[in-house]
Amino acid sequence: MNTSIPMSGLLLAAALLGLSPAALAQGLPPRDVPARSLPVPGTVSPQLQALIGQPLRTGWNTPPTTPEGWRQLAEAGAAATRRLLPGFKERLKVDVEAGEMGGVKVFKVTPKDIRPENANRLLIHIHGGCYVLNPGEAGLTEAIFMAGFGGVRVISVDYRMPPEAYFPAALDDVVSVWKAAIRDTDPKRMAVFGSSAGGALTLEMMLRLKAEGLPMPAAIAPGTPMSDVTGAGDSFQTNALVDNVLVAVDGFCHAATLFYANGHDLRDPLLSPVYGDVAGFPPTILTTGTRDLLLSNTVRMHRKLRQAGVEASLQVFEGQSHAHYNRDDTAPESREAFAEIAQFFGRHLAR
Amino acid sequence: MNTSIPMSGLLLAAALLGLSPAALAQGLPPRDVPARSLPVPGTVSPQLQALIGQPLRTGWNTPPTTPEGWRQLAEAGAAATRRLLPGFKERLKVDVEAGEMGGVKVFKVTPKDIRPENANRLLIHIHGGCYVLNPGEAGLTEAIFMAGFGGVRVISVDYRMPPEAYFPAALDDVVSVWKAAIRDTDPKRMAVFGSSAGGALTLEMMLRLKAEGLPMPAAIAPGTPMSDVTGAGDSFQTNALVDNVLVAVDGFCHAATLFYANGHDLRDPLLSPVYGDVAGFPPTILTTGTRDLLLSNTVRMHRKLRQAGVEASLQVFEGQSHAHYNRDDTAPESREAFAEIAQFFGRHLAR
């Protein structure tokens, strides 16, 4: 079999996507995997089975091509998410209040029952959405889950996004909120968390805090972080069309990231933190799933942290695509993921 | 699209394999994944790239059908592995001596440089090989890696295998060695480890120790354990023909397990420990890879341990198929995997 044709095709695809050829090993033949029909596993809850059984995300490979198109896509998604929020807030018993910190829009997400050990603790949440999606309240799902399952106060950052502002505006905003937060709260009593772009921003924020000599939080929880947006990572291939959320490396999320990056080098650790110097990072817990397109992004980041001597814990959930733990609060796996993060924070945050 | 045909086909396949229909969710359509060409990732060491680039294991789907056929297959594989041992022993600076403990054949694997903190510590190793393969010295690769990378003494159990003896002979043998070991060494100074069937046997041994009221080791390290041999687990599907070692759920390893089980119920926790009561297990570190057919077996076991309140750590290596960390001692990922396990043991074992 002549293997040079598919390899050339891959390199061509990589070039068209602006992906690094370093994403591929040289001179070794690819593995041909035949077409197959993947059943929904019976080893997860019925709620998670329903998520796994959903079709591929509509329009995953037809991203907008104009700023106005992105704005419309973000608003359509946000409208859908906003319809879910009353149920989340009611079942998880949290209140949400809009506000501002350090000149940045935020939401204060407060559980009706704050656990005694969390009375003086505060979490900062950075939402996901490929740096472009989930504006306003639509970014609150994960903050509500964390506040409710963990019994802890959360500030969720409604950072600026394209087309309003580009790289590094999102990072600037989360750092501004952090600077404001540490004026009132001991950073040893705080943690930072978020998934996807929010996971990447959590890691990028630590790089920025290090560079600026600012205090670090006591712990962080980047969930399935976009830690490498250059296209490198084996699960971009192995979980292509298996993950029904991100679907494939060349889908809407990469297009959104390019829109945010606005021409900036994707290999900059402030866009691909897996290439950063993570020595001195706070204790970190990472979350992903076996079908996650960012499984490799997550486990590579975990290894990188461990190589640097950082206390780092990894949880991988059976059958979950990208950030599936952030979808259905009634799925026992969602409760489990956030309870694990809450327990990790509980071990590392001062009271 | 009519999805009843592939689903029926899967159920039929499951029935033919003796797999539990509970492995599949009912009433949800499968996901059709097209054929693709998976490149070797550039995100791992050249040594690991070479392992990932190897073709599917020869004869993965043509297992022996007679006891003599199994014996010949085991001997052929063992002969190949034995040729590698002198290099392993030399590079990792360990000595190997055959012996017996509790009436069971063992090998004492001793590094020339025992780290001072490990002077009084001892590890028990249980080799893998689907309960049938890797007899004698061929089971020592992982023991040599652990002894050398960790600077710690290891006893590797050369347990009885079919066609000499069937379930639960292997388990009986590791428990016999344990009973002999704790006569001389404080169990608080000991850990137990092993991969694949050896990972399952490590877990099964803890269930047996609990049932018999025997002391537990201070920590265990089941690597990519065969924790569920009923066919349940999403990565049996997602990593089918992606993992080049085990290749697929209905391959040689399942046939070997049926040979060992000898008609015993595969759902018995002493064959599928993910269904056991793991409360009270010692601190556990699990290792797997993103292409591992047993990725789900490993992460499901991790969740099960965490749900029971057991301290459990998970490491997942980029691009690795089943137990690839046990193959090439010169791959930095192998050193990293064993160094992580050694550090985990170092935190939990008494001096």
Side-chain angles (χ1 to χ4, degrees):
Chain A
M1 182 176 50
N2 185 336
T3 56
S4 69
I5 292 170
M7 185 58 89
S8 301
L10 280 162
L11 289 173
L12 179 64
L16 289 172
L17 282 168
L19 304 180
S20 162
L24 308 179
Q26 303 300 312
L28 289 163
R31 177 169 345 287
D32 290 317
V33 180
R36 54 252 172 83
S37 178
L38 288 183
V40 174
T43 44
V44 300
S45 71
Q47 296 95 319
L48 186 52
Q49 288 176 19
L51 288 171
I52 295 172
Q54 288 181 357
L56 302 181
R57 179 191 170 101
T58 305
W60 68 269
N61 55 353
T62 53
T65 53
T66 63
E68 183 52 28
W70 279 112
R71 200 195 297 271
Q72 285 173 9
L73 182 70
E75 181 42 44
T81 300
R82 280 196 300 267
R83 286 193 286 275
L84 304 173
L85 293 180
F88 292 154
K89 288 193 261 189
E90 186 184 332
R91 287 189 297 274
L92 289 160
K93 300 185 175 59
V94 303
D95 292 321
V96 172
E97 185 189 349
E100 198 181 283
M101 277 180 79
V104 175
K105 287 189 286 183
V106 299
F107 293 95
K108 297 182 183 188
V109 184
T110 309
K112 295 192 200 309
D113 298 312
I114 296 174
R115 291 190 195 157
E117 67 269 26
N118 291 333
N120 299 311
R121 289 171 172 162
L122 179 65
L123 309 184
I124 306 293
H125 171 245
I126 311 174
H127 71 78
C130 312
Y131 294 102
V132 175
L133 306 176
N134 297 326
E137 283 201 297
L140 290 180
T141 302
E142 187 178 31
I144 293 169
F145 285 20
M146 188 75 238
F149 288 131
V152 59
R153 289 178 299 136
V154 174
I155 298 284
S156 185
V157 186
D158 187 16
Y159 53 84
R160 288 168 295 155
M161 297 195 291
E164 181 191 354
Y166 297 84
F167 173 87
L171 181 55
D172 291 342
D173 284 359
V174 298
V175 171
S176 294
V177 171
W178 179 250
K179 287 178 180 172
I182 60 178
R183 282 198 291 269
D184 297 326
T185 305
D186 183 346
K188 293 189 176 59
R189 291 181 175 144
M190 285 196 279
V192 178
F193 73 103
S195 289
S196 195
L201 281 162
T202 298
L203 295 160
E204 292 153 14
M205 177 181 163
M206 298 308 115
L207 293 172
R208 181 70 79 78
L209 297 185
K210 269 181 67 173
E212 297 194 12
L214 288 164
M216 296 265 193
I220 59 174
T224 179
M226 291 168 60
S227 63
D228 188 336
V229 295
T230 71
D234 195 41
S235 67
F236 279 127
Q237 304 298 329
T238 55
N239 280 339
L241 301 165
V242 171
D243 179 326
N244 61 357
V245 175
L246 294 179
V247 187
V249 64
D250 52 353
F252 73 99
C253 201
H254 188 68
T257 304
L258 291 173
F259 186 39
Y260 168 67
N262 198 26
H264 198 82
D265 180 5
L266 296 182
R267 213 180 183 282
D268 185 326
L270 297 184
L271 281 169
S272 289
V274 79
Y275 300 111
D277 173 7
V278 300
F281 268 34
T284 303
I285 180 167
L286 299 123
T287 306
T288 181
T290 60
R291 291 194 182 198
D292 190 350
L293 195 72
L294 303 195
L295 175 62
S296 288
N297 263 233
T298 308
V299 306
R300 289 173 62 216
M301 197 71 223
H302 180 237
R303 296 313 323 155
K304 171 105 183 178
L305 290 160
R306 292 296 303 136
Q307 287 161 6
V310 176
E311 179 173 341
S313 178
L314 174 67
Q315 53 179 347
V316 182
F317 283 89
E318 167 79 339
Q320 294 199 7
S321 292
H322 186 62
H324 261 165
Y325 54 85
N326 275 346
R327 300 288 280 277
D328 183 345
D329 60 297
T330 74
E333 291 90 347
S334 301
R335 172 180 295 274
E336 188 178 341
F338 286 93
E340 191 79 285
I341 295 167
Q343 194 176 328
F344 187 85
F345 287 167
R347 278 204 305 278
H348 293 289
L349 270 63
R351 292 211 177 184
Chain B
M1 182 175 55
N2 185 337
T3 56
S4 68
I5 292 169
M7 185 58 90
S8 301
L10 281 161
L11 289 173
L12 179 63
L16 289 172
L17 282 168
L19 304 181
S20 162
L24 308 180
Q26 304 299 311
L28 289 163
R31 177 169 344 288
D32 291 317
V33 180
R36 55 256 174 80
S37 178
L38 288 183
V40 175
T43 45
V44 300
S45 71
Q47 295 95 321
L48 186 52
Q49 289 177 19
L51 287 171
I52 295 171
Q54 287 181 356
L56 302 182
R57 179 190 170 102
T58 305
W60 69 267
N61 56 352
T62 53
T65 54
T66 63
E68 183 52 29
W70 279 112
R71 200 194 298 269
Q72 285 173 9
L73 182 70
E75 182 41 44
T81 300
R82 278 196 300 267
R83 285 193 286 274
L84 304 173
L85 294 180
F88 292 153
K89 287 192 262 190
E90 185 183 335
R91 288 188 297 275
L92 288 160
K93 301 184 175 59
V94 303
D95 292 319
V96 172
E97 185 191 349
E100 197 181 285
M101 275 181 81
V104 176
K105 287 188 287 182
V106 299
F107 292 95
K108 297 182 183 190
V109 184
T110 308
K112 296 192 199 308
D113 297 312
I114 296 174
R115 292 191 195 158
E117 67 269 26
N118 291 333
N120 298 312
R121 289 171 172 161
L122 179 65
L123 309 185
I124 305 293
H125 171 244
I126 311 174
H127 71 78
C130 312
Y131 293 103
V132 175
L133 307 176
N134 297 325
E137 283 201 299
L140 290 180
T141 304
E142 187 177 32
I144 293 169
F145 285 20
M146 187 76 239
F149 289 131
V152 59
R153 288 178 302 136
V154 174
I155 297 284
S156 185
V157 186
D158 187 15
Y159 53 83
R160 288 168 296 155
M161 298 195 291
E164 180 191 356
Y166 297 85
F167 172 87
L171 181 55
D172 290 343
D173 284 358
V174 298
V175 171
S176 294
V177 171
W178 179 250
K179 287 179 179 171
I182 61 178
R183 281 198 291 269
D184 297 326
T185 305
D186 183 346
K188 292 188 178 61
R189 291 181 175 142
M190 286 196 279
V192 179
F193 73 104
S195 288
S196 194
L201 280 162
T202 298
L203 296 159
E204 292 154 14
M205 176 180 163
M206 298 307 116
L207 293 171
R208 181 70 78 79
L209 297 185
K210 269 180 70 173
E212 296 193 13
L214 288 164
M216 296 267 194
I220 59 174
T224 179
M226 290 169 61
S227 62
D228 189 336
V229 295
T230 72
D234 195 40
S235 66
F236 280 127
Q237 304 298 329
T238 54
N239 280 340
L241 301 166
V242 171
D243 179 325
N244 62 357
V245 175
L246 294 179
V247 187
V249 64
D250 52 353
F252 73 98
C253 200
H254 189 67
T257 304
L258 291 173
F259 185 39
Y260 168 66
N262 199 25
H264 197 82
D265 181 4
L266 296 182
R267 213 181 183 282
D268 185 326
L270 297 184
L271 282 168
S272 289
V274 78
Y275 299 112
D277 174 6
V278 300
F281 269 33
T284 303
I285 180 167
L286 299 122
T287 305
T288 181
T290 60
R291 291 194 181 198
D292 190 350
L293 195 73
L294 302 195
L295 175 62
S296 288
N297 262 233
T298 308
V299 307
R300 289 173 61 216
M301 197 71 223
H302 181 238
R303 296 314 321 156
K304 171 104 184 180
L305 290 160
R306 291 297 304 135
Q307 287 161 7
V310 175
E311 178 173 342
S313 180
L314 174 68
Q315 54 179 348
V316 182
F317 283 88
E318 167 79 340
Q320 294 198 5
S321 292
H322 185 63
H324 260 164
Y325 53 87
N326 276 345
R327 300 289 280 277
D328 183 346
D329 60 298
T330 74
E333 292 90 346
S334 300
R335 173 181 294 274
E336 188 178 341
F338 286 93
E340 190 79 284
I341 294 168
Q343 194 176 330
F344 187 85
F345 287 167
R347 279 204 306 278
H348 293 289
L349 270 62
R351 291 206 179 190

